[in-house]
Amino acid sequence: MPLNQGHVIVGQGEPITFVCFPEAGVTSVADVLPDGSRVEVALVGRDGMTNSQLLLGCEQASHEALVQIGGGRSLRVEADVFGEFCARHPSANRLFLRFIHALSIQTARTLASNLRDPAAKRLSRWLLMCHDRIDGDEIQLLHEHIGRMLGVRRATVTDTLHVLEGHGALRSKRGRITVRDRPLLEELAGASYGFAETHYCRLIAPFGKAHPAQAALFPTAG
């Protein structure tokens, strides 16, 4: 299936009838609040899958999965086919369960960052996570979309991007953010970035674009 920006793969509360394995792009897993606003709780790209809670026996989506950065395609597997495959291949089932654990670690670190970190650290982390999941260095996304996912005003995103641009970490134009200095962006993100990524590499496989000093902290799955 194509991954078009803005496409809702599954709505919050909808029945789960399939799982998706994105081959490109970035999908936001978001909590939809009663007033209709959304707050992102996790990011998924070619590192994982959407609707993974199906593996835990859940038949209803607890969060919305929204394509944030489009492009490319996703492999879609119907729920019954996926269940039969996992039953026949326990090793694959264990790998998928490891991903669920890795995603829970990412979600927990997102919560901690949202509660403790200033906007510059939070945005730096979010851009690094997107950068890990795309080809190249250009992230095509409007400021208001970023603000909705981070739970901040668009003006806050714009002001913070100007600060990061002033440091030389990125270049920002309307709808287009280019990462210029990845190591510097990691430095600006501080401890908010790297913890979840380390665990993903330990549980599953090397992933992302960390510079060598950071990558050395990421042991491979064994």
Side-chain angles (χ1 to χ4, degrees), residues 87-161:
R88 291 198 311 270
H89 302 280
S91 60
N93 187 66
R94 287 194 296 271
L95 180 64
F96 297 141
L97 290 175
R98 284 185 174 192
F99 169 72
I100 293 176
H101 180 50
L103 194 66
S104 72
I105 295 171
Q106 183 199 133
T107 299
R109 185 47 59 108
T110 295
L111 173 62
S113 181
N114 287 349
L115 288 173
R116 297 171 59 91
D117 292 335
K121 276 192 175 183
R122 290 176 59 196
L123 183 55
S124 295
R125 173 181 183 261
W126 191 85
L127 291 172
L128 287 166
M129 291 170 67
C130 288
H131 192 229
D132 282 337
R133 290 164 173 82
I134 62 171
D135 294 321
D137 297 321
E138 189 174 279
I139 300 168
Q140 296 186 23
L141 205 57
L142 295 174
H143 296 184
E144 50 262 41
H145 293 167
I146 300 174
R148 281 200 293 269
M149 291 300 103
L150 293 180
V152 299
R153 296 181 302 112
R154 182 192 61 78
T156 299
V157 173
T158 301
D159 292 344
T160 307
L161 284 172

Side-chain angles (χ1 to χ4, degrees), residues 21-89:
F21 294 87
E23 294 185 314
V26 177
T27 295
S28 290
V29 180
D31 191 17
V32 183
L33 303 177
D35 63 0
S37 60
R38 292 166 173 80
V39 177
E40 186 177 86
V41 297
L43 278 182
V44 176
R46 55 194 171 200
D47 55 310
M49 59 190 289
T50 60
N51 293 344
S52 57
Q53 62 266 45
L54 187 68
L55 283 162
L56 304 178
C58 302
E59 299 178 347
Q60 188 179 58
S62 54
H63 296 96
E64 178 185 81
L66 171 73
V67 179
Q68 193 69 254
I69 300 175
R73 302 179 67 82
S74 178
L75 304 175
R76 171 174 166 150
V77 184
E78 298 305 311
D80 56 345
V81 175
F82 183 67
E84 291 171 3
F85 175 84
C86 289
R88 291 198 311 270
H89 302 280

Side-chain angles (χ1 to χ4, degrees), residues 148-215:
R148 281 200 293 269
M149 291 300 103
L150 293 180
V152 299
R153 296 181 302 112
R154 182 192 61 78
T156 299
V157 173
T158 301
D159 292 344
T160 307
L161 284 172
H162 287 159
V163 171
L164 298 179
E165 191 169 20
H167 284 296
L170 54 83
R171 181 171 63 251
S172 178
K173 295 183 179 180
R174 178 169 175 80
R176 184 176 302 172
I177 300 167
T178 304
V179 176
R180 299 181 62 188
D181 190 333
R182 165 91 189 199
L184 177 57
L185 198 58
E186 290 179 13
E187 181 181 336
L188 293 170
S192 69
Y193 176 81
F195 179 81
E197 289 70 25
T198 298
H199 281 279
Y200 181 94
C201 293
R202 178 178 61 83
L203 291 165
I204 300 175
F207 173 74
K209 298 177 181 173
H211 67 87
Q214 183 80 355

